[in-house]
Amino acid sequence: MEVEKIMQDLAKKHPGESEFLQAVEEVLHSIKDVYNQHPEFEKAKIIERIVEPERVIMFRVPWTDDKGEVHVNIGYRVQFNSAIGPYKGGLRFHPSVNLSIMKFLGFEQTFKNALTTLPMGGGKGGSDFAPRGRSSAEIMRFCQSFMSELYRHIGPDIDVPAGDIGVGTREIGYLFGMYKKLTRHWEGVLTGKGMEWGGSNIRPEATGYGALYFVNQMMQTHNLDLKGKTVAVSGFGNVAWGAVQKATELGAKVVTISGPDGYIYDPAGIAGEKNDYMLELRSSGNDICAPYAEKFAGSKFVAGKKPWEVKADIYLTCATQNELNGEDADMILANKPLCVAEVSNMGCTAEAVTKFIAAKQLFAPGKAVNAGGVATSGLEMTQNSIRLHWSAAEVDENLHKIMHSIHEQCVKYGREADGYIDYVKGANVAGFMKVANAMMAQGVV
């Protein structure tokens, strides 16, 4: 496999889709050696097929605001790969949403879902609609318009969307209600539902919880202990909240959170009431974290900067893609951390990842460390299918097992001759091999 030629051809087909091309290139470099050991993959053109989505659905979403003004947004659903199960992946409502981001997320989701051991393919969707600042009535009308097109393309055995940035339980409720009205079916077609109507325990915090289970196992594998360590976290949404809560439970001290306005540094640690306040901030409608410093004495707000300049033992990206760049990586490496983990999807730029790997830094890639969210969504699908509701302890036990399995797969395929575990390579190879073998078994389709 010639990665450069494949990337040149892909860039010609998909010009300007930088996020998608970045995600593909990372995977291709990781799997190159193992791919070249399987000439049957080359003959079946597995790479050429796996980097193209099976289906891209784009549609307009007209809706009316509270003043009677008509707006039109773009809706997307990228059904990337169904070799190992129905398409599974979230819906993102945010002004930054475009086709490149949807394809990058769908591509990543394919391999992340393969790592979970659950039968789920990869997909992603969303819209450039901005829920922030809109009334619940406006959000409801938008969701109903969005679902009036999407319902044709999804189903419990076809494609099962979930929530993502801008899509929480409220939005899932409006989407599900419209799906049920249009199809007259009550079925587990969406995950992230409310507890009263088919949702799963610990789903909101699952990504953060799973990330800390993975990080804890990474550290134990390297004879390190999470207890007593300081943790720098970015973001202050559900993912960050879950990560902060679980890190604290495991004995670490989280000292930062962040927003678009800057970051909070709290040397006393963010726990208990402080962690709960993160959810109040998020639900307030103001996408800023500065009020934290006004509420809690001893903490400070640093405007316009990211938390990566703070000295810590562990760094967790919990906000969005490419939030940690090469310069940030240099700052972090200068602090000689024990671990860095992409809890957000592709939270690090390619340059940052390269620097971490070159420095033999203990580094966990997003498709492995943040798989707890989609894994718990898969567990919600299971509960819906068998018409049962599991306790929080049962869901948490299953999440533990899944994250343990993902870590084992990364170690199996990522351990190098000198003993260093390249978790990026391990995650990519493990996910790729499962999907590629399934594609081979199903013929050229």
Side-chain angles (χ1 to χ4, degrees):
M1 173 174 60
E2 297 180 19
V3 175
E4 290 72 20
K5 184 178 186 309
I6 292 172
M7 290 308 304
Q8 287 173 4
D9 291 343
L10 202 62
K12 289 178 182 177
K13 291 181 181 178
H14 309 286
E17 297 183 3
S18 57
E19 295 88 355
F20 172 56
L21 296 172
Q22 176 187 339
V24 172
E25 186 167 19
E26 179 208 285
V27 170
L28 295 190
H29 279 297
S30 292
I31 67 171
K32 179 173 62 175
D33 292 341
V34 70
Y35 182 83
N36 289 335
Q37 296 169 14
H38 291 270
E40 69 274 19
F41 289 172
E42 181 69 29
K43 183 177 180 181
K45 294 292 187 290
I46 290 293
I47 287 296
E48 287 81 356
R49 290 158 56 198
I50 211 169
V51 300
E52 295 286 357
E54 293 176 8
R55 191 172 297 102
V56 173
I57 300 150
M58 293 177 60
F59 49 96
R60 70 183 183 201
V61 188
W63 59 281
T64 306
D65 67 21
D66 290 340
K67 297 177 181 179
E69 183 178 348
V70 175
H71 301 260
V72 180
N73 288 97
I74 303 174
Y76 301 90
R77 188 63 182 173
V78 176
Q79 296 176 331
F80 218 101
N81 192 292
S82 60
I84 63 172
Y87 307 105
K88 186 82 189 79
L91 296 171
R92 177 176 295 192
F93 292 169
H94 192 272
S96 66
V97 164
N98 57 38
L99 184 57
S100 175
I101 289 176
M102 293 293 94
K103 287 169 66 176
F104 127 62
L105 290 169
F107 181 76
E108 288 277 296
Q109 199 77 50
T110 298
F111 302 107
K112 182 192 303 185
N113 291 359
L115 289 171
T116 68
T117 72
L118 300 174
M120 302 182 295
K124 206 73 178 184
S127 174
D128 57 354
F129 170 73
R132 192 164 299 280
R134 294 294 178 183
S135 70
S136 288
E138 289 173 325
I139 291 171
M140 180 182 70
R141 289 193 291 272
F142 173 82
C143 288
Q144 289 173 341
S145 180
F146 185 88
M147 184 54 76
S148 69
E149 175 61 35
L150 185 65
Y151 87 96
R152 297 177 173 87
H153 311 288
I154 62 176
D157 297 313
I158 301 170
D159 185 350
V160 184
D164 194 83
I165 295 172
V167 180
T169 304
R170 174 183 59 179
E171 289 75 18
I172 292 293
Y174 294 149
L175 292 164
F176 182 78
M178 192 63 175
Y179 177 87
K180 185 162 60 75
K181 180 180 178 64
L182 292 167
T183 65
R184 297 183 296 165
H185 288 173
W186 202 116
E187 53 196 9
V189 71
L190 290 159
T191 56
K193 298 185 290 299
M195 292 296 293
E196 302 84 0
W197 42 284
S200 175
N201 275 303
I202 77 168
R203 177 59 191 92
E205 55 269 49
T207 302
Y209 276 23
L212 266 296
Y213 294 153
F214 189 97
V215 167
N216 193 38
Q217 190 165 351
M218 283 179 75
M219 295 186 68
Q220 289 177 351
T221 300
H222 292 79
N223 297 315
L224 299 169
D225 193 346
L226 193 62
K227 291 181 180 178
K229 304 301 187 294
T230 56
V231 185
V233 168
S234 66
F236 67 105
N238 276 344
V239 173
W241 170 67
V244 171
Q245 184 171 319
K246 186 55 65 174
T248 304
E249 286 180 14
L250 294 173
K253 182 170 73 172
V254 179
V255 295
T256 72
I257 55 173
S258 72
D261 54 334
Y263 73 87
I264 294 291
Y265 174 61
D266 189 342
I270 301 169
E273 178 191 0
K274 295 176 179 178
N275 195 31
D276 293 339
Y277 184 64
M278 289 169 61
L279 294 184
E280 292 182 36
L281 277 176
R282 177 59 68 184
S283 62
S284 69
N286 297 314
D287 198 15
I288 56 175
C289 63
Y292 180 104
E294 300 170 8
K295 185 173 178 66
F296 297 108
S299 63
K300 70 175 183 178
F301 172 67
V302 182
K305 292 192 175 183
K306 295 181 283 189
W308 315 132
E309 64 182 16
V310 174
K311 183 173 176 58
D313 299 309
I314 299 165
Y315 294 85
L316 307 177
T317 68
C318 296
T320 190
Q321 69 266 3
N322 289 331
E323 57 175 298
L324 194 161
N325 61 31
E327 291 181 5
D328 299 326
D330 290 335
M331 279 194 296
I332 288 173
L333 287 169
N335 288 327
K336 300 187 184 306
L338 299 176
C339 176
V340 180
E342 284 184 309
V343 188
S344 51
N345 286 308
M346 204 166 74
C348 299
T349 65
E351 180 186 16
V353 174
T354 298
K355 288 185 175 184
F356 287 137
I357 300 302
K360 301 292 184 178
Q361 172 65 53
L362 195 57
F363 175 75
K367 62 172 61 70
V369 75
N370 75 20
V374 72
T376 306
S377 283
L379 297 175
E380 182 177 329
M381 290 169 63
T382 301
Q383 293 170 78
N384 292 167
S385 295
I386 60 178
R387 297 291 195 268
L388 285 179
H389 181 73
W390 295 336
S391 68
E394 288 174 302
V395 176
D396 196 38
E397 181 182 359
N398 280 311
L399 177 60
H400 253 115
K401 291 177 181 177
I402 289 169
M403 299 310 296
H404 179 80
S405 173
I406 293 172
H407 183 267
E408 286 187 329
Q409 294 174 71
C410 290
V411 171
K412 175 182 177 181
Y413 289 103
R415 189 180 294 278
E416 298 185 342
D418 61 359
Y420 174 68
I421 300 173
D422 183 342
Y423 282 87
V424 175
K425 178 181 178 182
N428 286 332
V429 172
F432 168 77
M433 288 301 292
K434 183 172 181 178
V435 177
N437 283 326
M439 291 175 68
M440 288 294 298
Q442 294 167 30
V444 181
V445 293

